[in-house]
Amino acid sequence: MSTCEYKPGLEGVPVTQSSISYVDGKQGILEYRGIRIEDLAEKSSFLETAYLLIWGELPGVAELEAFEHEVRYNRRVKFRIRDMMKCFPESGHPMDALQASAAALGLFYSRRALEDPAYIRAAAVRLLAKIPTMVAAFQSIRKGNDPVGPQDDLDYTTNFLYMLNERVPDELAAHVLDVCLTLHAEHTINASTFSAMVTASTLTDPYAVVASAVGTLAGPLHGGANEEVIQTIEEIGSVENVRPYLEDCFERKSKIMGFGHRVYKVKDPRATILQKLAEQLFEKFGRDEYYDIALEMERVIEERLGSRGIFANVDFYSGLVYRKLGIPVDLFTPVFAIARVAGWLAHWKEQLEANRIFRPTQIYTGPHDFPYTPIEQRRTNASEYS
Ligand code: SDX
């Protein structure tokens, strides 16, 4: 019997030492490398933030220019990857397409220089650059079109929206999405980042690291919640129906997507910023009826569950923003993934700097020395196993 206390979901158990980000869940504070998220959302860009996360400090003018240049000219993906994506079923979820495509990058690029800073940089640039292209490519392909290639004179986020819709987006739309990417870039040891770290600790290639993290992010308890929030709002349908719908959820003790967090016991600071971004979009492009339902949901949930520390999390308002930007609902989580690649890569690099393979223990609860029963003496009623 182990002497360590078992904590389901590893709640409160430190699994690493990290200087990448910090969350104070009681005060609603999030910092990347010590800088408040509010400051980064207002003053930085996604790519500058990615640099900060991965290399530990804000880049100088020349460093940022060089980094943006490298990312810009690495956006294209091999035709074999595009052709592979053409074989995916159109009805497949874009997160599955992204996981498969991210893993496929490993077929093209070597894994043998994990101790070489130039290799780390090239892999980080490649992943940051190509993941948005692959998300947009699957969207085009499933509509029956050829993927739209990147346009070199467009910045990172503008280019992503361009590849998605085949037209250069409105400036405010691109700016708002860029801030969304900054807000989603990193969040300490969440499930997908832990997945990335465990995979990284085996010294496998960075494409496998990102692919495993994408698979983990996809679940509805994690990044997949943003998609389900919109489905919930659609099911509710009207402001008047919010309270009865939620009362039924409380009664059935079902989880309301976009609310609650392992660490935050107040409103997620990212949700506050996202809400303001949504309002900016509504002001320019027209108010969204879904927003009124969302506001009422937040009000009722705060009233009923606020005393238990359940408030809106990052996934609650992000969907409203993405929807207003015209992004299809099942691309919400891939957009989250585009951003979180920065955090996964930062943790990959940090993990390699002081690596030890993750190999925790368990508390065994099964039998010992159990007899092997010959097949003819085993239970035969098939229904017992169904
Ligand atoms: C993200 O970890 C990160 O940092 C993640 C993330 C990131 O940036 O990487 O912030 C991104 O994943 C945001 C979370 C998205 N998921 C959802 O919105 C799904 C809905 N929320 C939950 O299922 C839940 O709050 C979690 C998964 C986010 C947190 O799970 P915990 O910490 O394991 O909490 P729990 O499920 O054990 O809940 C504790 C209590 C329970 O009640 P009791 O059994 O104690 O009576 O709170 C209740 C839960 O029923 N509760 C909720 C609820 N969330 C928790 N009740 C209703 N609705 C909810 N959403």
Side-chain angles (χ1 to χ4, degrees):
M1 181 81 171
S2 166
T3 51
C4 297
E5 193 191 343
Y6 165 52
K7 299 271 191 168
L10 294 180
E11 180 163 5
V13 177
V15 294
T16 192
Q17 292 189 317
S18 178
S19 61
I20 299 169
S21 64
Y22 170 80
V23 175
D24 180 330
K26 287 199 189 107
Q27 295 189 72
I29 293 171
L30 169 59
E31 294 170 342
Y32 295 169
R33 300 285 186 187
I35 304 175
R36 289 282 185 119
I37 193 65
E38 290 80 3
D39 259 2
L40 291 165
E42 190 191 327
K43 300 172 190 153
S44 187
S45 66
F46 171 66
L47 273 191
E48 183 185 68
T49 297
Y51 186 103
L52 168 75
L53 290 166
I54 299 168
W55 285 283
E57 50 189 25
L58 287 169
V61 175
E63 284 165 323
L64 182 60
E65 259 178 32
F67 179 58
E68 284 177 343
H69 182 88
E70 281 172 62
V71 172
R72 191 179 295 260
Y73 292 102
N74 271 281
R75 288 164 174 169
R76 282 170 181 73
V77 296
K78 304 271 188 203
F79 79 84
R80 286 179 203 279
I81 291 191
R82 297 199 301 271
D83 285 356
M84 178 190 81
M85 293 173 97
K86 288 177 187 165
C87 299
F88 294 168
E90 287 151 25
S91 57
H93 196 284
M95 279 300 270
D96 295 327
L98 180 60
Q99 188 181 17
S101 315
L105 287 175
L107 293 161
F108 295 90
Y109 305 102
S110 119
R111 74 173 63 163
R112 292 205 190 86
L114 294 177
E115 62 302 319
D116 178 1
Y119 173 85
I120 301 285
R121 182 172 175 121
V125 163
R126 200 174 279 138
L127 278 155
L128 284 164
K130 294 189 197 305
I131 293 281
T133 310
M134 296 194 300
V135 171
F138 184 65
Q139 171 64 5
S140 299
I141 290 168
R142 70 177 172 165
K143 286 196 299 187
N145 300 327
D146 274 326
V148 178
Q151 197 164 298
D152 292 344
D153 59 345
L154 299 179
D155 67 55
Y156 188 84
T157 308
T158 307
N159 176 61
F160 170 64
L161 286 172
Y162 164 75
M163 291 187 296
L164 210 53
N165 302 313
E166 218 174 343
R167 79 188 126 76
V168 178
D170 172 87
E171 228 172 273
L172 175 69
H175 167 71
V176 164
L177 184 60
D178 196 73
V179 179
C180 289
L181 296 181
T182 301
L183 296 175
H184 285 83
E186 156 67 7
H187 207 242
T188 72
I189 312 303
N190 54 85
S192 56
T193 298
F194 187 43
S195 203
M197 287 163 57
V198 172
T199 309
S201 80
T202 69
L203 301 184
T204 187
D205 68 76
Y207 313 103
V209 169
V210 167
S212 70
V214 169
T216 307
L217 185 69
L221 292 186
H222 192 13
N226 58 12
E227 189 178 326
E228 301 219 355
V229 168
I230 293 295
Q231 282 155 8
T232 305
I233 292 178
E234 275 167 2
E235 271 178 48
I236 292 176
S238 68
V239 174
E240 301 70 53
N241 195 32
V242 168
R243 192 174 283 275
Y245 181 97
L246 291 178
E247 289 299 341
D248 182 53
C249 293
F250 301 145
E251 178 99 359
R252 290 186 290 109
K253 294 198 181 311
S254 65
K255 298 267 171 71
I256 300 139
M257 294 294 136
F259 288 87
H261 199 276
R262 176 65 63 80
V263 185
Y264 291 119
K265 298 305 159 202
V266 293
K267 183 168 176 174
D268 187 327
R270 299 167 296 175
T272 306
I273 304 171
L274 283 162
Q275 187 173 359
K276 288 188 192 134
L277 293 175
E279 282 169 1
Q280 279 181 35
L281 289 177
F282 298 145
E283 210 165 286
K284 179 152 187 192
F285 301 111
R287 194 179 167 98
D288 195 319
E289 37 157 5
Y290 283 34
Y291 186 47
D292 297 319
I293 298 177
L295 286 178
E296 180 66 1
M297 281 178 76
E298 204 186 345
R299 207 177 62 73
V300 173
I301 289 170
E302 192 171 331
E303 177 193 308
R304 293 293 309 274
L305 302 179
S307 59
R308 293 169 56 199
I310 297 168
F311 291 91
N313 63 46
V314 68
D315 285 330
F316 188 59
Y317 284 108
S318 63
L320 289 179
V321 173
Y322 299 154
R323 189 173 170 273
K324 201 69 198 167
L325 293 175
I327 297 173
V329 176
D330 62 0
L331 288 192
F332 292 179
T333 319
V335 170
F336 188 158
I338 289 173
R340 189 52 63 85
V341 167
W344 296 330
L345 289 169
H347 285 273
W348 168 60
K349 184 167 171 290
E350 188 175 71
Q351 182 65 34
L352 293 179
E353 282 158 8
N355 190 52
R356 190 158 188 225
I357 192 168
F358 277 95
R359 204 316 182 179
T361 190
Q362 62 169 9
I363 297 168
Y364 178 65
T365 58
H368 291 287
D369 291 330
F370 199 71
Y372 178 85
T373 314
I375 195 160
E376 58 283 2
Q377 292 172 23
R378 293 178 212 158
R379 290 183 297 171
T380 52
N381 187 352
S383 66
E384 283 181 35
Y385 297 96
S386 60

